[in-house]
Amino acid sequence: ALAVNPALADAHLFAATAQLDAGDPAGAVAAVGRALAVDSLSPAALAVLAAAHHLAGDARAADDARRRALLRDPRNAEVD
């Protein structure tokens, strides 16, 4: 999908979650960064970003992404 249309935020988000599942939080951060470049307000992408930073051991970045996700969607069960 990304080869055809690199502006598909959901495809980048899928890649980010696959990176998390594979135990590669740095790869997930990079992929979710591409998703956020397409849709900077995506609560789902911000939730994945929070998880990736958490798994990478970056508590400050995880908290920031979590806060941003909850600002966009206060009932976001993915981060709350």
Side-chain angles (χ1 to χ4, degrees):
L2 288 171
V4 174
N5 184 357
L8 290 174
D10 287 341
H12 289 291
L13 188 55
F14 179 81
T17 57
Q19 293 291 337
L20 280 181
D21 290 344
D24 180 11
V29 169
V32 80
R34 291 187 292 274
L36 289 167
V38 175
D39 181 3
S40 64
L41 303 178
S42 168
L46 291 167
V48 172
L49 183 62
H53 282 307
H54 173 77
L55 292 173
D58 188 343
R60 181 177 293 159
D63 288 344
D64 179 61
R66 181 180 180 278
R67 181 188 53 76
R68 289 170 50 206
L70 290 172
L71 282 173
R72 298 291 169 226
D73 181 3
R75 296 182 184 154
N76 189 340
E78 294 177 11
V79 294
D80 197 27

